[in-house]
Amino acid sequence: MKKLVAIVMGLVSLLALASCNKSEIDYTLDQTVREKELYKDWMANVEFSEERIPTEGYDVNNTRFEVFLPKDIKSASRYTVDSIESYYSGHSVRVAISYWCFYNISNVTSEITNQVSSVYDETIAKAYEGIIEPKNYTTSWQSNLEQADLDKLSAAQEGKTRSAVVLYTPCKINYYLAKEGEAAKQVLETYAIIPVYSEVLYLNSPAEGESLKLDDEHVIAKNFSSVALNIKDGLLN
C-alpha cells in the first residue's frame, strides 16, 4: 500500500512539474544583438524591408523564422579581405565561404538558406547588375571556393600575399515561438550575413601592424566599404 501511494505521489509530482515548466516558457523578446559592435557599426545603419521573404504554409500561430532583406541591398553590402596563405599545404587547398550569424539557433542554417535561395535571382543578384556577377552561395551554409580559382594562386610570390575578398549582404531574422491560444510571439531579433561574391588574388603584403588592402581601383573597393569581422566559436561576435 505504501509503495502504491509513493508511485501515485510520484506521478502527481511529475505532472505538476510538467505543468509548471509549460507555464514558465519565456516569451520575452531578446534584442541583445543590438549591443554588439558589429550591429552598431553595420546593421543599425541598414534599412530593412518591412516585408519578409515569402514562405509556403505561413501561419501566424506557428513557431517560425521570418527573414528580411535590406531595402537597398547594394548599399548595405560590405566586404572582407583575408590572407589564405595558411590554406596552402602541399597540393591540398580548401577554402570555405560561409554565412555568419550572431546566434546559434536550431534549424537556422536550413531555414535561412532556403528562404534566401528562393529570392536570390530576382532580388539579390539583380542588386549588383553592372558591378559584379554574384555567386550563388545560398545552397548551403558553407561552400568551398572553386579549385580552379585557388589554382591561380598556386605559386607563392615575393612581396605578395595570397588573399580572398568576400562580399556580404546582411539579413534580419525574427524568431517566433508558438503560444497556446494566441498568435506566436517574437522572442528573438538577430542578423546574419550572406556571402554573395568572392575572389582570390595576390595582394601586396602589408607592413607589420597593418592589414591587407584592396587596390583603390578594384571594383569591390570602388563600390563597397570594408568591414572587420570578429568570429568566435563559429558565430559573429
Side-chain angles (χ1 to χ4, degrees), residues 30-44:
D30 181 348
Q31 293 178 306
T32 53
V33 66
R34 298 187 181 192
E35 300 170 7
K36 303 284 187 178
E37 288 301 316
L38 186 62
Y39 169 84
K40 295 175 182 178
D41 294 342
W42 186 359
M43 288 77 177

Side-chain angles (χ1 to χ4, degrees), residues 78-97:
R78 302 284 185 273
Y79 72 89
T80 61
V81 184
D82 295 291
S83 169
I84 54 174
E85 286 287 347
S86 61
Y87 288 89
Y88 283 83
S89 175
H91 298 287
S92 178
V93 181
R94 176 181 175 273
V95 180
I97 300 296

Side-chain angles (χ1 to χ4, degrees), residues 153-168:
L153 308 183
S154 58
Q157 293 188 6
E158 185 176 353
K160 299 286 186 178
T161 298
R162 289 174 283 201
S163 309
V165 55
V166 183
L167 183 67
Y168 297 92

Side-chain angles (χ1 to χ4, degrees), residues 67-201:
V67 183
F68 303 83
L69 295 174
K71 286 186 175 181
D72 187 338
I73 291 172
K74 175 183 174 295
S75 68
S77 301
R78 302 284 185 273
Y79 72 89
T80 61
V81 184
D82 295 291
S83 169
I84 54 174
E85 286 287 347
S86 61
Y87 288 89
Y88 283 83
S89 175
H91 298 287
S92 178
V93 181
R94 176 181 175 273
V95 180
I97 300 296
S98 179
Y99 282 63
W100 297 106
C101 188
F102 283 102
Y103 284 85
N104 184 17
I105 315 170
S106 176
N107 297 325
V108 69
T109 54
S110 60
E111 285 287 342
I112 305 312
T113 54
N114 288 343
Q115 291 194 36
V116 170
S117 63
S118 71
V119 297
Y120 187 86
D121 290 335
E122 67 268 29
T123 303
I124 296 177
K126 285 187 176 180
Y128 304 102
E129 285 183 349
I131 304 173
I132 57 166
E133 185 174 343
K135 301 181 179 182
N136 193 342
Y137 289 120
T138 61
T139 54
S140 65
W141 194 256
Q142 189 176 83
S143 305
N144 293 329
L145 289 178
E146 294 292 335
Q147 189 63 46
D149 290 333
L150 295 171
D151 289 344
K152 297 174 186 176
L153 308 183
S154 58
Q157 293 188 6
E158 185 176 353
K160 299 286 186 178
T161 298
R162 289 174 283 201
S163 309
V165 55
V166 183
L167 183 67
Y168 297 92
T169 195
C171 68
K172 179 180 179 180
I173 306 164
N174 289 341
Y175 181 58
Y176 288 79
L177 190 60
K179 188 173 185 180
E180 188 174 352
E182 299 180 34
K185 300 292 184 183
Q186 184 185 350
V187 295
L188 180 66
E189 173 191 332
T190 188
Y191 297 81
I193 56 174
I194 305 162
V196 294
Y197 175 82
S198 68
E199 184 179 335
V200 293
L201 67 171

